[in-house]
Amino acid sequence: MTISMWIASIAWVSLVLGYTQRFNRKRHVPLMFFGIFTDILLVLYLQITRSAIQTALEFSLSIPQQIHILFSTIALVLYIPTLILGSKLVRNVGSATTKKRHKGIAVTALIFRTLGFCFMFSMWKG
Ligand code: HEM
């Protein structure tokens, strides 16, 4: 595996561990922060070093590789409302539905991230 794949794996493990700790704020929040920001930094790094977005838009990749990019991008976009709603919960400033919305959007993000993570291995040149 490449170093980027190892970093992506560490981020994903952190998100899964964070999910298992969702009822424990002290553990849930730092694990999710670590996973999300590692993912964001990795995308920035891949963009700077390999123009990842341009490569994706050229559609020169295989179907599984394109699925990897599509699903991972959806997860990254969903991280934004996840972070906003999560930080409202931390600060206790949300409404009655904040937790429900956080739960729905965050779990959707994690599902896309997990599927994108599985398809990441189609990028592996062995
Ligand atoms: C993809 C990332 C994330 C996932 C999958 C996720 C998932 C969840 C789920 C399912 C719950 C509801 C637990 C329940 O059933 O009551 C929850 C609660 C919560 N989440 Fe997240 N979350 C994520 C990221 C975050 C982030 C980044 C923050 C902080 C900025 C955060 C803060 C919270 C808080 C404060 C709660 C309430 C915990 C409690 O019950 O006291 N989450 N999260």
Side-chain angles (χ1 to χ4, degrees), residues 10 32 42 44 46-48 53 58 79 84 87 89 95 103 107-108 117 123:
I10 292 167
M32 289 326 203
L42 184 57
L44 289 177
L46 290 173
Q47 180 57 22
I48 292 162
I53 296 170
E58 280 166 17
Y79 283 163
I84 295 170
S87 79
L89 290 173
S95 66
K103 219 168 136 174
V107 170
T108 310
F117 177 69
M123 296 278 186

Side-chain angles (χ1 to χ4, degrees), residues 22-23 25 28 32 82-83 86-87 89 99 102-103 106:
R22 63 195 180 279
F23 302 114
R25 289 181 183 216
H28 177 69
M32 289 326 203
T82 299
L83 281 165
S87 79
L89 290 173
K99 194 161 166 174
H102 171 70
K103 219 168 136 174

Side-chain angles (χ1 to χ4, degrees), residues 11-69:
W12 180 76
V13 168
S14 179
L15 292 172
V16 172
L17 284 178
Y19 179 77
T20 67
Q21 299 300 317
R22 63 195 180 279
F23 302 114
N24 181 334
R25 289 181 183 216
K26 275 205 174 111
R27 291 191 203 143
H28 177 69
V29 177
L31 282 164
M32 289 326 203
F33 262 129
F34 178 80
I36 288 176
F37 284 104
T38 305
D39 265 352
I40 293 172
L41 289 176
L42 184 57
V43 170
L44 289 177
Y45 166 76
L46 290 173
Q47 180 57 22
I48 292 162
T49 58
R50 293 190 224 160
S51 308
I53 296 170
Q54 284 85 335
T55 308
L57 292 176
E58 280 166 17
F59 290 98
S60 56
L61 300 171
S62 68
I63 298 289
Q65 289 172 334
Q66 288 186 39
I67 292 174
H68 159 69
I69 292 173

